[in-house]
Amino acid sequence: MVQKVYVTYNEVHKLCQASADRILHDFQPNLMIAIGGGGYVPARILRSFLKRPSAPNIPIQAIGLSLYEQLPSKDPSDPVETPGTKVTRTQWLDFSSLEISNLVGKNVLIVDEVDDTRTTLEYAVKELQKDVEAAAQKLGKAGKTRFCIFVLHNKDKTKRGHLPQDMMDEERYLAARTVSDVWINYPWEATDIDEHDKLASSQLDY
């Protein structure tokens, strides 16, 4: 049986806070791209900790990618999901309206809640790199866009997806916490937040 753990908003807040200094110092992001829907809340919380006096807020763009599939469950009130094999693009950057100068030659931080099989992150990095390089060529603008990744949790397991070797070599990947291969329930997925927090407070540390 899959072990389920429950993460609270308080914990998410503290994981972002604990990671902010490293992100500011090492990644120096000019823009964040949140992978929906799990990356939205961490990106917004993180932005507060990345804000510096007299500096503007770091802009947040969003993309939507879907990988998980719901499996039949004996208990309809307790559905189980499993990572799929195909990434579905549900929302993407609109390069016709987005100011390309915000991307080309800049430091872009991709934010998601969990690195499970790494398939979604691999897809996001490859497709964003491809689109930005095409846009830069079209505009005749030089400068390499530097992508970095932040996730709340990395599952310690064999990954299906792979990230660019230079990204890993340059340590442009940061997980606030590495955990075993458990099923993580995030607070924004809850329909009863009081029950969610109650389960979180009664569980053993994961």
Side-chain angles (χ1 to χ4, degrees):
M1 185 175 179
V2 178
Q3 179 189 355
K4 290 190 173 186
V5 299
Y6 295 82
V7 175
T8 65
Y9 280 115
N10 195 319
E11 184 178 354
V12 171
H13 196 93
K14 290 181 178 179
L15 289 174
C16 291
Q17 182 179 20
S19 304
D21 285 345
R22 161 96 192 273
I23 291 171
L24 268 176
H25 183 268
D26 294 352
F27 299 168
Q28 301 177 0
N30 306 110
L31 172 75
M32 284 190 281
I33 296 179
I35 299 179
Y40 297 155
V41 174
R44 178 57 190 89
I45 294 173
L46 191 59
R47 187 171 75 167
S48 296
F49 291 113
L50 298 180
K51 179 76 168 65
R52 287 298 173 259
S54 75
N57 275 314
I58 297 173
I60 301 175
Q61 296 287 337
I63 59 176
L65 300 174
S66 177
L67 180 68
Y68 286 85
E69 302 170 346
Q70 188 164 306
L71 298 179
S73 174
K74 294 180 180 179
D75 182 358
S77 67
D78 188 27
V80 176
E81 291 184 329
T82 185
T85 56
K86 181 182 178 181
V87 177
T88 301
R89 185 189 294 198
T90 58
Q91 177 184 339
W92 203 250
L93 301 181
D94 182 359
F95 283 91
S96 64
S97 61
L98 180 66
E99 180 57 53
I100 298 301
S101 61
N102 288 336
L103 287 173
V104 178
K106 300 296 179 66
N107 297 329
V108 178
L109 180 65
I110 299 170
V111 181
D112 206 359
E113 87 277 45
V114 62
D115 179 1
D116 191 337
T117 64
R118 199 161 285 175
T119 308
T120 301
L121 290 173
E122 177 188 46
Y123 180 93
V125 172
K126 281 185 177 179
E127 294 299 306
L128 286 169
Q129 283 180 329
K130 188 192 306 179
D131 287 351
V132 170
E133 287 169 5
Q137 187 174 18
K138 184 177 180 180
L139 292 172
K141 191 163 185 171
K144 182 179 179 181
T145 301
R146 185 170 169 262
F147 288 97
C148 309
I149 289 174
F150 170 71
V151 295
L152 296 173
H153 297 97
N154 170 46
K155 293 188 182 182
D156 187 11
K157 60 189 287 186
T158 301
K159 307 294 188 183
R160 294 179 190 165
H162 302 280
L163 296 173
Q165 191 58 49
D166 63 330
M167 174 182 284
M168 305 308 288
D169 291 343
E170 296 170 13
E171 299 183 340
R172 287 187 278 120
Y173 170 94
L174 173 63
R177 184 171 180 184
T178 296
V179 299
S180 59
D181 189 13
V182 295
W183 184 258
I184 305 174
N185 292 271
Y186 290 97
W188 47 84
E189 299 167 342
T191 54
D192 184 338
I193 194 63
D194 291 327
E195 178 65 16
H196 178 95
D197 287 348
K198 180 180 177 182
L199 291 168
S201 64
S202 64
Q203 73 189 1
L204 297 174
D205 187 37
Y206 61 98

